[in-house]
Amino acid sequence: MSIQRQPRTLSFLSLIFPVFNEEESLPYLRKQLEAWLPSLGSLRVEIVLVDDGSKDGSCTFCEAWAKEVKNIKLISFSRNFGHQMAVSAGLRYAEGDACVIMDADLQDPLPVVRQMIARYEEGYDVAYGQRLSRQGETSFKKVTAWAFYRLMQKCVYKDLPKDTGDFRLVSRRVVDLVNAMPEGHRFLRGMFAWVGFSQIAVPYVRDERRFGETKYPLSKMLRFAWQAITSFSALPIRIVSLWGAAVALVGFLICLYALYAWLYGETVQGWTSLMGLIAMLGGSSILAIGIVGEYVGNIFEEVKGRPFYIVERTVNCGDGALSSGDTVRQDALRQKGRCL
Ligand code: UDP
Ligand code: MG
């Protein structure tokens, strides 16, 4: 069954930028935005800057910018809560009929946003940027990213689009649905895909980072990938179960053989095979406990019910803004009638 799409006109757009130690990129971002925004004509635009606990001059820059220009909101965290939390806060504070999530280093080119708006106006709820190529990134990053998206799609969540980061336009109804999800492990691109409705790829070439360094070093990337897999799928536990079943079967066959050998008096010392088996079984049992433990850890984090992030201060967020320390989680629970 094909989903009916209604053409519509976008009148209010929110551009969301998570910012973490981006003092080198911010002046460039401001210059580029000031040059590009007039090309959108009468479309009303707000810019939502989320300072994710930067330690450099980013927050000072954003604050001065927001105090100068009224349609710029600033949400500043009490510490670094991570990229996905910064975007979650941006989505919570944005008021546009559609929101676009972008990197503050402008690796995602502004002109692509126009193509996304065109898709929104055709009636799509999500227009996600799909990378055709990644300029200026190491072969290692390209290969690991290639493998990550394919593994995620094949094994974890089949509707997760390939080569797609967080750069996307999402309609108000999708934003509201994602805001209402109370889970603390927020793998946003998976959550957007999970919501459904009509979604479409907007292919683009990702620029290289002009200023500063990536805030996603290898260790953070691996943690992100692991969190994405374990928050979205029980596949690792299933693999462990299958492995356990295979090992148990082999163990049973070895028992039969041992019994046979004992009956016919062929028992030998067998130290090597015994050691090998003990080591293999010990190793795989610990691995299995470790993987199950990861999920128990995730449940532990979730049941604590802590706020996703803590807002230290805001600029231009109006009287209706969440008070400092108020959270998406509290909001979502309130909507479900489970007030904290
Ligand atoms: N970012 C953030 N919190 C973090 C890490 C990154 O808000 O803990 C922001 C960062 O400032 C940038 C975006 O998230 O605007 C994406 O980060 P980055 O450009 O370093 O990632 P890459 O494009 O290299 O994958
Ligand atoms: Mg970037």
Side-chain angles (χ1 to χ4, degrees):
M1 191 186 73
S2 72
I3 297 169
Q4 287 293 311
R5 281 181 280 112
Q6 292 290 329
R8 55 190 160 180
T9 308
L10 180 62
S11 49
F12 185 13
L13 174 72
S14 301
L15 293 174
I16 299 171
F17 295 95
V19 176
F20 179 53
N21 294 343
E22 296 284 4
E23 67 179 355
E24 295 105 326
S25 301
L26 286 168
Y28 175 75
L29 173 70
R30 180 172 182 173
K31 211 168 108 215
Q32 292 297 107
L33 277 171
E34 282 170 353
W36 176 75
L37 285 173
S39 74
L40 294 178
S42 60
L43 176 63
R44 183 177 161 208
V45 180
E46 70 167 5
I47 292 165
V48 183
L49 303 168
V50 186
D51 172 46
D52 185 13
S54 299
K55 295 257 180 286
D56 63 1
S58 302
C59 191
T60 316
F61 184 96
C62 293
E63 200 166 345
W65 190 11
K67 283 184 172 157
E68 214 178 296
V69 188
K70 250 182 58 197
N71 66 340
I72 300 199
K73 289 178 172 167
L74 169 66
I75 296 103
S76 181
F77 284 177
S78 62
R79 65 166 174 85
N80 178 247
F81 280 89
H83 176 222
Q84 298 293 291
M85 290 307 169
V87 176
S88 298
L91 291 167
R92 183 62 193 82
Y93 280 82
E95 290 174 285
D97 300 325
C99 299
V100 172
I101 302 160
M102 302 186 81
D103 277 12
D105 57 14
L106 272 193
Q107 276 192 283
D108 312 311
L110 285 168
V112 181
V113 175
R114 290 190 72 97
Q115 297 173 36
M116 291 179 171
I117 295 172
R119 294 308 202 182
Y120 172 88
E121 296 194 327
E122 284 168 25
Y124 287 98
D125 277 280
V126 178
Y128 53 86
Q130 194 161 47
R131 296 160 189 173
L132 289 170
S133 73
R134 308 159 75 103
Q135 309 279 327
E137 284 179 355
T138 60
S139 318
F140 181 76
K141 177 138 190 185
K142 283 182 187 163
V143 169
T144 46
W146 183 90
F148 171 70
Y149 288 112
R150 271 134 197 100
L151 180 79
M152 287 297 288
Q153 200 185 42
K154 280 255 174 322
C155 311
V156 178
Y157 192 61
K158 73 175 173 34
D159 290 332
L160 191 79
K162 279 190 280 227
D163 304 321
T164 301
D166 288 308
F167 177 40
R168 63 188 61 222
L169 177 147
V170 269
S171 70
R172 173 51 48 194
R173 66 171 170 174
V174 173
V175 171
D176 287 344
L177 285 164
V178 168
N179 283 345
M181 293 182 194
E183 65 210 69
H185 288 94
R186 299 184 88 72
F187 176 53
L188 287 168
R189 57 197 84 164
M191 290 158 82
F192 287 128
W194 184 89
V195 166
F197 299 124
S198 43
Q199 311 210 358
I200 190 157
V202 176
Y204 77 106
V205 176
R206 189 160 206 241
D207 286 342
E208 54 187 294
R209 186 182 249 277
R210 285 178 193 78
F211 306 98
E213 282 176 3
T214 175
K215 308 298 175 297
Y216 267 103
L218 179 65
S219 57
K220 223 169 167 180
M221 239 165 57
L222 290 176
R223 209 176 329 134
F224 176 73
W226 181 245
Q227 282 249 315
I229 292 171
T230 53
S231 68
F232 240 79
S233 160
L235 184 78
I237 292 192
R238 236 172 276 143
I239 292 174
V240 163
S241 308
L242 287 177
W243 171 241
V247 170
L249 183 70
V250 172
F252 178 70
L253 294 177
I254 290 174
C255 278
L256 287 183
Y257 171 73
L259 208 60
Y260 166 87
W262 176 73
L263 278 175
Y264 290 89
E266 288 174 16
T267 38
V268 286
Q269 292 304 308
W271 184 84
T272 315
S273 57
L274 209 62
M275 284 310 283
L277 267 175
I278 290 170
M280 192 184 79
L281 287 176
S284 48
S285 313
I286 292 168
L287 177 75
I289 292 170
I291 290 181
V292 175
E294 289 280 335
Y295 283 86
V296 176
N298 281 355
I299 298 167
F300 175 62
E301 290 296 329
E302 293 289 350
V303 295
K304 276 196 282 189
R306 286 207 181 145
F308 296 168
Y309 50 77
I310 295 178
V311 175
E312 191 176 345
R313 64 175 180 283
T314 60
V315 181
N316 290 340
C317 289
D319 293 340
L322 301 177
S323 62
S324 178
D326 210 346
T327 66
V328 174
R329 187 195 289 273
Q330 288 170 359
D331 230 40
L333 293 177
R334 220 171 272 136
Q335 276 185 20
K336 290 177 78 176
R338 286 167 53 198
C339 199
L340 287 175

